[in-house]
Amino acid sequence: MGHARGLSSEEKRAWNAFRTSFTLLHQRMDQQLKRDSGLSHLQYEILARLGAAPGRELRMAELACAVSNSKSGLTYQIGQLEQAGLVRRRACESDVRAVYAVLTDEGAALLDQAVPGHVALVRELLLDVLTPAQLSALADGLGEANRRMLAAEDCS
């Protein structure tokens, strides 16, 4: 393996801005969600992914990949959400190894209650501070980075 190329001053500026913004945004979203709905940011993402899925359900392995969490980490989170009555698990009829996470009506109601505050915070802290050109560049650049990382990830 060769020696890694260093970062230019503009690359350092971009990397540091991204890293700091990501950390601050995640912390503030986690605080807001816990305060307003009792959910962690990860739990909100799980409920949101289930809420957007056909039939409000996803295979656990697919859900773990979608929220960038380990299978064991997702199992723990689903257990917490299941105890709260927000999700349930169901076995797959065609594959005994597969388990689905299913958003309950209670989970959907909590998600509906949590969405407006979450969206308002995302707007306040990120979207509304960018010009349309900056927003487009951010979406394009991070979209490409995401595409490359997901293409290299094994989510089976």
Side-chain angles (χ1 to χ4, degrees):
M1 186 159 129
H3 188 69
R5 179 172 55 106
L7 300 178
S8 70
S9 61
E10 188 65 7
E11 289 169 335
K12 284 179 191 173
R13 188 174 82 85
W15 171 243
N16 287 329
F18 170 79
R19 186 177 49 158
T20 302
S21 292
F22 174 82
T23 300
L24 291 171
L25 188 61
H26 181 76
Q27 286 173 347
R28 302 261 171 84
M29 287 189 299
D30 205 50
Q31 291 167 351
Q32 178 269 322
L33 286 163
K34 283 179 182 169
R35 181 186 68 238
D36 294 352
S37 61
L39 296 170
S40 69
H41 187 217
L42 176 57
Q43 290 170 335
Y44 174 86
E45 285 296 321
I46 291 167
L47 296 183
R49 297 290 178 148
L50 291 173
R56 298 189 327 197
E57 66 179 23
L58 287 169
R59 286 174 77 131
M60 292 281 284
E62 183 181 353
L63 183 56
C65 188
V67 298
S68 299
N69 202 293
S70 67
K71 290 177 185 176
S72 63
L74 179 70
T75 298
Y76 173 78
Q77 291 298 326
I78 292 296
Q80 298 294 306
L81 294 168
E82 199 170 31
Q83 285 180 351
L86 304 175
V87 300
R88 66 179 176 81
R89 292 178 229 214
R90 79 162 182 84
C92 178
E93 296 171 6
S94 61
D95 183 353
V96 294
R97 298 170 298 156
V99 175
Y100 283 82
V102 182
L103 185 66
T104 65
D105 290 340
E106 293 82 5
L110 182 59
L111 181 60
D112 286 344
Q113 179 254 319
V115 165
H118 178 70
V119 170
L121 187 64
V122 170
R123 284 196 166 287
E124 175 192 337
L125 297 178
L126 181 64
L127 302 178
D128 291 346
V129 303
L130 301 174
T131 67
Q134 290 169 326
L135 188 59
S136 181
L138 179 69
D140 289 346
L142 293 179
E144 178 59 19
N146 292 341
R147 186 192 66 72
R148 288 182 185 200
M149 286 184 276
L150 290 171
E153 195 169 304
D154 179 21
C155 286
S156 53

Short mmCIF file of all heavy atoms in Angstrom, two decimals, residues 6-49:
data_model
loop_
_atom_site.label_atom_id
_atom_site.label_comp_id
_atom_site.label_asym_id
_atom_site.label_seq_id
_atom_site.Cartn_x
_atom_site.Cartn_y
_atom_site.Cartn_z
N GLY A 6 -1.51 13.82 0.97
CA GLY A 6 -2.04 14.76 1.95
C GLY A 6 -3.18 15.59 1.38
O GLY A 6 -3.47 15.55 0.19
N LEU A 7 -3.83 16.34 2.24
CA LEU A 7 -4.95 17.19 1.82
C LEU A 7 -4.46 18.59 1.52
O LEU A 7 -3.65 19.14 2.26
CB LEU A 7 -6.01 17.25 2.93
CG LEU A 7 -6.66 15.93 3.36
CD1 LEU A 7 -7.65 16.18 4.48
CD2 LEU A 7 -7.32 15.24 2.18
N SER A 8 -4.99 19.16 0.46
CA SER A 8 -4.70 20.57 0.17
C SER A 8 -5.42 21.43 1.19
O SER A 8 -6.28 20.94 1.94
CB SER A 8 -5.18 20.92 -1.24
OG SER A 8 -6.60 20.94 -1.28
N SER A 9 -5.11 22.70 1.23
CA SER A 9 -5.78 23.57 2.21
C SER A 9 -7.29 23.64 1.95
O SER A 9 -8.08 23.66 2.89
CB SER A 9 -5.16 24.97 2.19
OG SER A 9 -5.30 25.55 0.91
N GLU A 10 -7.71 23.62 0.68
CA GLU A 10 -9.15 23.64 0.36
C GLU A 10 -9.80 22.32 0.73
O GLU A 10 -10.94 22.30 1.22
CB GLU A 10 -9.36 23.96 -1.12
CG GLU A 10 -10.80 24.20 -1.50
CD GLU A 10 -11.45 25.43 -0.87
OE1 GLU A 10 -10.76 26.23 -0.20
OE2 GLU A 10 -12.67 25.59 -1.02
N GLU A 11 -9.10 21.22 0.54
CA GLU A 11 -9.63 19.92 0.94
C GLU A 11 -9.75 19.82 2.46
O GLU A 11 -10.75 19.31 2.98
CB GLU A 11 -8.73 18.80 0.41
CG GLU A 11 -8.82 18.62 -1.10
CD GLU A 11 -7.75 17.72 -1.67
OE1 GLU A 11 -6.66 17.59 -1.05
OE2 GLU A 11 -7.99 17.13 -2.74
N LYS A 12 -8.76 20.34 3.18
CA LYS A 12 -8.84 20.36 4.66
C LYS A 12 -10.02 21.21 5.11
O LYS A 12 -10.75 20.84 6.03
CB LYS A 12 -7.55 20.93 5.26
CG LYS A 12 -6.39 19.98 5.24
CD LYS A 12 -5.17 20.64 5.85
CE LYS A 12 -3.93 19.80 5.61
NZ LYS A 12 -2.71 20.49 6.03
N ARG A 13 -10.19 22.36 4.46
CA ARG A 13 -11.31 23.25 4.81
C ARG A 13 -12.65 22.54 4.60
O ARG A 13 -13.53 22.58 5.46
CB ARG A 13 -11.23 24.52 3.97
CG ARG A 13 -12.20 25.59 4.37
CD ARG A 13 -11.93 26.88 3.59
NE ARG A 13 -12.52 26.87 2.26
CZ ARG A 13 -13.77 27.21 1.99
NH1 ARG A 13 -14.59 27.59 2.96
NH2 ARG A 13 -14.22 27.19 0.76
N ALA A 14 -12.79 21.85 3.47
CA ALA A 14 -14.03 21.14 3.17
C ALA A 14 -14.24 19.99 4.15
O ALA A 14 -15.34 19.80 4.68
CB ALA A 14 -14.00 20.61 1.73
N TRP A 15 -13.17 19.21 4.40
CA TRP A 15 -13.29 18.08 5.31
C TRP A 15 -13.65 18.53 6.72
O TRP A 15 -14.54 17.98 7.35
CB TRP A 15 -12.00 17.26 5.31
CG TRP A 15 -11.99 16.19 6.38
CD1 TRP A 15 -11.14 16.10 7.42
CD2 TRP A 15 -12.90 15.10 6.52
NE1 TRP A 15 -11.45 15.01 8.20
CE2 TRP A 15 -12.55 14.38 7.66
CE3 TRP A 15 -13.99 14.66 5.78
CZ2 TRP A 15 -13.23 13.25 8.09
CZ3 TRP A 15 -14.68 13.53 6.21
CH2 TRP A 15 -14.29 12.84 7.34
N ASN A 16 -12.97 19.53 7.23
CA ASN A 16 -13.25 20.03 8.58
C ASN A 16 -14.65 20.62 8.68
O ASN A 16 -15.35 20.41 9.69
CB ASN A 16 -12.19 21.04 9.02
CG ASN A 16 -10.88 20.37 9.34
OD1 ASN A 16 -10.84 19.23 9.79
ND2 ASN A 16 -9.78 21.07 9.09
N ALA A 17 -15.10 21.32 7.65
CA ALA A 17 -16.45 21.88 7.66
C ALA A 17 -17.50 20.75 7.67
O ALA A 17 -18.47 20.80 8.43
CB ALA A 17 -16.66 22.80 6.46
N PHE A 18 -17.28 19.75 6.84
CA PHE A 18 -18.21 18.62 6.79
C PHE A 18 -18.24 17.89 8.13
O PHE A 18 -19.30 17.62 8.68
CB PHE A 18 -17.83 17.64 5.68
CG PHE A 18 -18.62 16.36 5.77
CD1 PHE A 18 -19.92 16.32 5.30
CD2 PHE A 18 -18.07 15.23 6.34
CE1 PHE A 18 -20.67 15.15 5.41
CE2 PHE A 18 -18.81 14.06 6.45
CZ PHE A 18 -20.11 14.02 5.98
N ARG A 19 -17.07 17.56 8.64
CA ARG A 19 -16.96 16.79 9.89
C ARG A 19 -17.63 17.52 11.05
O ARG A 19 -18.41 16.93 11.81
CB ARG A 19 -15.49 16.53 10.18
CG ARG A 19 -15.21 15.64 11.36
CD ARG A 19 -13.74 15.41 11.50
NE ARG A 19 -13.06 16.71 11.42
CZ ARG A 19 -11.88 16.96 11.89
NH1 ARG A 19 -11.19 16.00 12.46
NH2 ARG A 19 -11.34 18.15 11.81
N THR A 20 -17.34 18.80 11.19
CA THR A 20 -17.93 19.58 12.28
C THR A 20 -19.43 19.72 12.10
O THR A 20 -20.20 19.55 13.05
CB THR A 20 -17.26 20.96 12.37
OG1 THR A 20 -15.85 20.77 12.58
CG2 THR A 20 -17.83 21.79 13.51
N SER A 21 -19.88 20.04 10.87
CA SER A 21 -21.31 20.19 10.61
C SER A 21 -22.06 18.89 10.87
O SER A 21 -23.13 18.89 11.48
CB SER A 21 -21.56 20.64 9.17
OG SER A 21 -21.10 21.94 8.98
N PHE A 22 -21.49 17.78 10.43
CA PHE A 22 -22.12 16.48 10.64
C PHE A 22 -22.28 16.20 12.14
O PHE A 22 -23.35 15.81 12.60
CB PHE A 22 -21.31 15.37 9.98
CG PHE A 22 -21.85 13.99 10.29
CD1 PHE A 22 -22.92 13.49 9.58
CD2 PHE A 22 -21.30 13.23 11.32
CE1 PHE A 22 -23.44 12.24 9.88
CE2 PHE A 22 -21.81 11.98 11.61
CZ PHE A 22 -22.89 11.48 10.89
N THR A 23 -21.22 16.42 12.89
CA THR A 23 -21.26 16.15 14.33
C THR A 23 -22.27 17.04 15.04
O THR A 23 -23.09 16.56 15.83
CB THR A 23 -19.85 16.34 14.95
OG1 THR A 23 -18.95 15.43 14.31
CG2 THR A 23 -19.86 16.09 16.44
N LEU A 24 -22.23 18.34 14.74
CA LEU A 24 -23.16 19.27 15.38
C LEU A 24 -24.60 18.98 14.99
O LEU A 24 -25.51 19.00 15.83
CB LEU A 24 -22.79 20.71 15.03
CG LEU A 24 -21.49 21.23 15.64
CD1 LEU A 24 -21.14 22.59 15.04
CD2 LEU A 24 -21.60 21.32 17.16
N LEU A 25 -24.83 18.72 13.72
CA LEU A 25 -26.19 18.42 13.25
C LEU A 25 -26.72 17.16 13.92
O LEU A 25 -27.86 17.14 14.41
CB LEU A 25 -26.18 18.28 11.73
CG LEU A 25 -27.53 18.17 11.04
CD1 LEU A 25 -28.39 19.40 11.29
CD2 LEU A 25 -27.33 17.97 9.54
N HIS A 26 -25.90 16.13 13.97
CA HIS A 26 -26.33 14.88 14.61
C HIS A 26 -26.64 15.10 16.10
O HIS A 26 -27.66 14.63 16.60
CB HIS A 26 -25.25 13.80 14.45
CG HIS A 26 -25.63 12.50 15.06
ND1 HIS A 26 -26.54 11.64 14.48
CD2 HIS A 26 -25.25 11.92 16.22
CE1 HIS A 26 -26.70 10.60 15.26
NE2 HIS A 26 -25.92 10.74 16.31
N GLN A 27 -25.78 15.83 16.80
CA GLN A 27 -26.01 16.09 18.23
C GLN A 27 -27.30 16.87 18.45
O GLN A 27 -28.10 16.53 19.32
CB GLN A 27 -24.85 16.89 18.82
CG GLN A 27 -23.59 16.11 19.03
CD GLN A 27 -22.42 16.99 19.45
OE1 GLN A 27 -22.48 18.21 19.37
NE2 GLN A 27 -21.33 16.36 19.87
N ARG A 28 -27.50 17.91 17.67
CA ARG A 28 -28.70 18.74 17.84
C ARG A 28 -29.97 17.97 17.48
O ARG A 28 -31.00 18.12 18.14
CB ARG A 28 -28.60 20.01 17.01
CG ARG A 28 -27.39 20.85 17.35
CD ARG A 28 -27.70 22.01 18.28
NE ARG A 28 -26.50 22.67 18.74
CZ ARG A 28 -25.84 23.62 18.08
NH1 ARG A 28 -26.27 24.05 16.92
NH2 ARG A 28 -24.77 24.17 18.61
N MET A 29 -29.91 17.16 16.43
CA MET A 29 -31.09 16.36 16.06
C MET A 29 -31.39 15.35 17.15
O MET A 29 -32.55 15.14 17.50
CB MET A 29 -30.87 15.68 14.71
CG MET A 29 -30.95 16.63 13.54
SD MET A 29 -30.95 15.84 11.92
CE MET A 29 -29.39 15.01 11.90
N ASP A 30 -30.36 14.72 17.70
CA ASP A 30 -30.55 13.75 18.76
C ASP A 30 -31.20 14.42 19.98
O ASP A 30 -32.15 13.90 20.55
CB ASP A 30 -29.21 13.11 19.13
CG ASP A 30 -29.36 11.74 19.73
OD1 ASP A 30 -30.07 10.90 19.16
OD2 ASP A 30 -28.74 11.49 20.79
N GLN A 31 -30.70 15.59 20.36
CA GLN A 31 -31.26 16.33 21.50
C GLN A 31 -32.72 16.69 21.26
O GLN A 31 -33.57 16.51 22.13
CB GLN A 31 -30.45 17.60 21.76
CG GLN A 31 -29.06 17.35 22.29
CD GLN A 31 -28.19 18.61 22.23
OE1 GLN A 31 -28.56 19.64 21.65
NE2 GLN A 31 -27.01 18.52 22.83
N GLN A 32 -33.01 17.22 20.08
CA GLN A 32 -34.37 17.65 19.76
C GLN A 32 -35.33 16.47 19.74
O GLN A 32 -36.43 16.53 20.29
CB GLN A 32 -34.39 18.39 18.40
CG GLN A 32 -35.76 18.84 17.94
CD GLN A 32 -36.47 17.81 17.08
OE1 GLN A 32 -35.87 17.12 16.27
NE2 GLN A 32 -37.77 17.69 17.29
N LEU A 33 -34.92 15.37 19.14
CA LEU A 33 -35.79 14.20 19.06
C LEU A 33 -36.03 13.60 20.44
O LEU A 33 -37.16 13.23 20.77
CB LEU A 33 -35.19 13.16 18.11
CG LEU A 33 -35.31 13.52 16.63
CD1 LEU A 33 -34.36 12.67 15.79
CD2 LEU A 33 -36.74 13.35 16.15
N LYS A 34 -34.99 13.50 21.26
CA LYS A 34 -35.17 12.97 22.62
C LYS A 34 -36.10 13.86 23.44
O LYS A 34 -36.98 13.37 24.14
CB LYS A 34 -33.82 12.82 23.32
CG LYS A 34 -33.04 11.62 22.84
CD LYS A 34 -31.70 11.48 23.52
CE LYS A 34 -30.95 10.29 22.95
NZ LYS A 34 -29.57 10.23 23.37
N ARG A 35 -35.91 15.16 23.32
CA ARG A 35 -36.74 16.11 24.06
C ARG A 35 -38.21 16.06 23.61
O ARG A 35 -39.12 16.02 24.42
CB ARG A 35 -36.18 17.52 23.88
CG ARG A 35 -36.95 18.60 24.64
CD ARG A 35 -36.46 20.01 24.32
NE ARG A 35 -36.79 20.33 22.93
CZ ARG A 35 -35.89 20.66 22.00
NH1 ARG A 35 -34.61 20.72 22.29
NH2 ARG A 35 -36.27 20.93 20.77
N ASP A 36 -38.42 16.05 22.31
CA ASP A 36 -39.78 16.19 21.79
C ASP A 36 -40.54 14.88 21.64
O ASP A 36 -41.76 14.87 21.68
CB ASP A 36 -39.75 16.89 20.43
CG ASP A 36 -39.30 18.34 20.53
OD1 ASP A 36 -39.14 18.85 21.66
OD2 ASP A 36 -39.09 18.96 19.47
N SER A 37 -39.82 13.75 21.43
CA SER A 37 -40.54 12.49 21.19
C SER A 37 -39.98 11.29 21.95
O SER A 37 -40.51 10.20 21.83
CB SER A 37 -40.56 12.19 19.69
OG SER A 37 -39.24 12.04 19.20
N GLY A 38 -38.88 11.48 22.68
CA GLY A 38 -38.30 10.38 23.43
C GLY A 38 -37.51 9.40 22.57
O GLY A 38 -37.15 8.32 23.05
N LEU A 39 -37.22 9.77 21.33
CA LEU A 39 -36.48 8.90 20.41
C LEU A 39 -35.06 9.38 20.24
O LEU A 39 -34.81 10.59 20.24
CB LEU A 39 -37.14 8.91 19.02
CG LEU A 39 -38.54 8.36 18.89
CD1 LEU A 39 -39.10 8.67 17.51
CD2 LEU A 39 -38.55 6.85 19.15
N SER A 40 -34.14 8.45 20.04
CA SER A 40 -32.80 8.84 19.61
C SER A 40 -32.86 9.11 18.11
O SER A 40 -33.83 8.73 17.43
CB SER A 40 -31.80 7.72 19.89
OG SER A 40 -32.05 6.61 19.04
N HIS A 41 -31.82 9.72 17.59
CA HIS A 41 -31.77 9.98 16.15
C HIS A 41 -31.82 8.66 15.37
O HIS A 41 -32.52 8.55 14.35
CB HIS A 41 -30.52 10.79 15.80
CG HIS A 41 -30.48 11.24 14.39
ND1 HIS A 41 -29.33 11.29 13.67
CD2 HIS A 41 -31.46 11.64 13.53
CE1 HIS A 41 -29.59 11.71 12.44
NE2 HIS A 41 -30.87 11.92 12.34
N LEU A 42 -31.10 7.64 15.83
CA LEU A 42 -31.12 6.34 15.16
C LEU A 42 -32.52 5.73 15.20
O LEU A 42 -32.99 5.19 14.20
CB LEU A 42 -30.09 5.39 15.79
CG LEU A 42 -30.06 3.97 15.25
CD1 LEU A 42 -29.80 3.95 13.74
CD2 LEU A 42 -29.01 3.15 15.99
N GLN A 43 -33.18 5.80 16.33
CA GLN A 43 -34.53 5.25 16.42
C GLN A 43 -35.49 5.98 15.49
O GLN A 43 -36.34 5.36 14.85
CB GLN A 43 -35.02 5.31 17.86
CG GLN A 43 -34.30 4.35 18.77
CD GLN A 43 -34.61 4.57 20.24
OE1 GLN A 43 -34.98 5.66 20.67
NE2 GLN A 43 -34.46 3.50 21.01
N TYR A 44 -35.34 7.30 15.39
CA TYR A 44 -36.15 8.07 14.44
C TYR A 44 -35.90 7.58 13.02
O TYR A 44 -36.84 7.39 12.25
CB TYR A 44 -35.85 9.57 14.57
CG TYR A 44 -36.53 10.40 13.52
CD1 TYR A 44 -37.83 10.87 13.72
CD2 TYR A 44 -35.90 10.71 12.32
CE1 TYR A 44 -38.47 11.62 12.76
CE2 TYR A 44 -36.54 11.46 11.35
CZ TYR A 44 -37.82 11.92 11.57
OH TYR A 44 -38.46 12.65 10.61
N GLU A 45 -34.63 7.39 12.66
CA GLU A 45 -34.29 6.92 11.31
C GLU A 45 -34.91 5.55 11.04
O GLU A 45 -35.39 5.30 9.94
CB GLU A 45 -32.77 6.87 11.13
CG GLU A 45 -32.14 8.22 10.97
CD GLU A 45 -32.60 8.96 9.71
OE1 GLU A 45 -32.77 8.32 8.64
OE2 GLU A 45 -32.79 10.18 9.79
N ILE A 46 -34.89 4.68 12.03
CA ILE A 46 -35.49 3.36 11.87
C ILE A 46 -36.98 3.49 11.60
O ILE A 46 -37.52 2.91 10.65
CB ILE A 46 -35.22 2.47 13.11
CG1 ILE A 46 -33.74 2.11 13.18
CG2 ILE A 46 -36.10 1.22 13.10
CD1 ILE A 46 -33.31 1.50 14.51
N LEU A 47 -37.67 4.28 12.42
CA LEU A 47 -39.11 4.47 12.23
C LEU A 47 -39.40 5.13 10.89
O LEU A 47 -40.36 4.75 10.20
CB LEU A 47 -39.70 5.31 13.37
CG LEU A 47 -39.64 4.71 14.78
CD1 LEU A 47 -40.34 5.63 15.78
CD2 LEU A 47 -40.23 3.31 14.82
N ALA A 48 -38.59 6.11 10.50
CA ALA A 48 -38.79 6.80 9.23
C ALA A 48 -38.61 5.85 8.05
O ALA A 48 -39.39 5.89 7.08
CB ALA A 48 -37.84 7.99 9.11
N ARG A 49 -37.59 4.99 8.10
CA ARG A 49 -37.38 4.02 7.02
C ARG A 49 -38.55 3.04 6.93
O ARG A 49 -39.02 2.71 5.85
CB ARG A 49 -36.08 3.24 7.22
CG ARG A 49 -34.84 4.06 7.19
CD ARG A 49 -34.51 4.59 5.82
NE ARG A 49 -33.33 5.42 5.88
CZ ARG A 49 -32.46 5.54 4.92
NH1 ARG A 49 -32.62 4.89 3.79
NH2 ARG A 49 -31.41 6.32 5.06
#
